[in-house]
Amino acid sequence: MKYHFFLLLLFVSVFGFSQKSKIDFKSIEKNLTNAQSPYNYEKLIFKYKGYPKSLDSIEAQYLYYGRNFKKDKISTSDDDFKKLAEAFKDKNFEECIKLGKVLYDKDPTNLDVLLILLRAYDSQKDGSNFSHHLGQFRLLADAMKASGDGKSEKTAYAVNSVGDEYILLNMLNIGQDYTRGSKALKDGMMDIWEKEDNKIYIKVLYMDF
């Protein structure tokens, strides 16, 4: 996940403070598959792909956390993602775009894929695609940041993956001088990042049950 730290230098300054909002996972799961709901997944994805700025914070929350209930997610352990990561490591940005677009079509709210596409489009001086994906990335990252305040287990930030956790840590300016402790939960892992008297609580969700 080392590439997260490098890439986020490009993006961390664009994020502001978001209003905190409680996450109702049951409601998210129910609405995403309900064709009549304004939070139906296909409706949200249509807006997200076409004009991400048109989505509000609640819609962004449904999109970000709704990914937990999708069966066709791309994992960083998948061979296809490993090929993308290798192309990025080799600075083969044309190949990054080619491979990344395929994975984006399968899993458009995957922050790992979006980050690599952003770096690739930036290297190719493709301002249009860069700006479009940056808007998507910012939308999802703001939803993640609005999930809590990180000051306690009850108000912990909630993230979909370890990769997303490192993205959040960069947004919060939490560096390597913090130590991590972990606590297993029924539906995830609670990570406590600590430096002197300062503690940040982040819950990595395991929703496949």
Side-chain angles (χ1 to χ4, degrees):
M1 297 297 172
K2 288 184 179 178
Y3 61 87
H4 286 125
F5 294 98
F6 172 71
L7 286 169
L8 279 159
L9 293 175
L10 294 172
F11 315 125
V12 70
S13 64
V14 305
F15 297 101
F17 293 98
S18 302
Q19 184 179 358
K20 310 302 176 188
S21 50
K22 189 177 179 181
I23 308 161
D24 185 343
F25 291 107
K26 288 183 179 179
S27 177
I28 290 173
E29 183 178 20
K30 180 180 177 181
N31 280 282
L32 286 177
T33 56
N34 180 1
Q36 306 305 316
S37 171
Y39 301 116
N40 171 264
Y41 182 79
E42 298 304 326
K43 292 178 182 176
L44 294 181
I45 282 292
F46 181 80
K47 292 173 70 175
Y48 169 82
K49 286 186 172 181
Y51 190 53
K53 290 182 179 179
S54 67
L55 290 159
D56 63 30
S57 60
I58 300 299
E59 290 172 317
Q61 183 188 83
Y62 270 75
L63 264 184
Y64 178 73
Y65 293 103
R67 184 170 177 268
N68 289 288
F69 305 105
K70 303 296 292 181
K71 293 181 179 179
D72 51 352
K73 299 188 294 288
I74 301 298
S75 166
T76 54
S77 61
D78 291 347
D79 288 341
D80 287 344
F81 184 85
K82 288 179 180 178
K83 290 176 184 176
L84 175 62
E86 190 65 27
F88 175 79
K89 182 181 176 183
D90 294 340
K91 297 184 179 180
N92 186 348
F93 296 121
E94 285 187 11
E95 186 70 4
C96 282
I97 292 171
K98 178 183 173 183
L99 297 173
K101 285 170 73 174
V102 173
L103 297 189
Y104 169 81
D105 285 339
K106 293 179 181 177
D107 191 4
T109 59
N110 186 314
L111 293 183
D112 292 302
V113 173
L114 285 176
L115 273 174
I116 292 179
L117 278 174
L118 281 166
R119 182 66 182 92
Y121 283 126
D122 180 54
S123 74
Q124 301 296 89
K125 304 293 189 290
D126 185 341
S128 177
N129 277 309
F130 178 87
S131 296
H132 182 69
H133 286 308
L134 181 60
Q136 293 174 325
F137 183 90
R138 180 175 184 172
L139 181 83
L140 299 172
D142 278 349
M144 177 171 59
K145 192 174 179 182
S147 63
D149 60 18
K151 294 180 179 179
S152 69
E153 285 194 23
K154 264 191 171 182
T155 62
Y157 295 107
V159 300
N160 288 341
S161 69
V162 173
D164 290 2
E165 179 178 23
Y166 280 98
I167 290 171
L168 178 62
L169 288 170
N170 275 271
M171 291 168 62
L172 299 172
N173 201 27
I174 303 300
Q176 295 181 354
D177 50 343
Y178 278 73
T179 58
R180 181 182 68 178
S182 298
K183 172 183 174 182
L185 303 173
K186 180 180 68 173
D187 56 350
M189 183 70 70
M190 182 67 68
D191 285 343
I192 303 99
W193 294 84
E194 190 170 359
K195 176 186 175 184
E196 297 174 353
D197 294 331
N198 190 29
K199 290 183 179 181
I200 303 292
Y201 293 81
I202 302 176
K203 182 178 180 181
V204 183
L205 300 166
Y206 299 150
M207 305 288 286
D208 53 346
F209 52 85

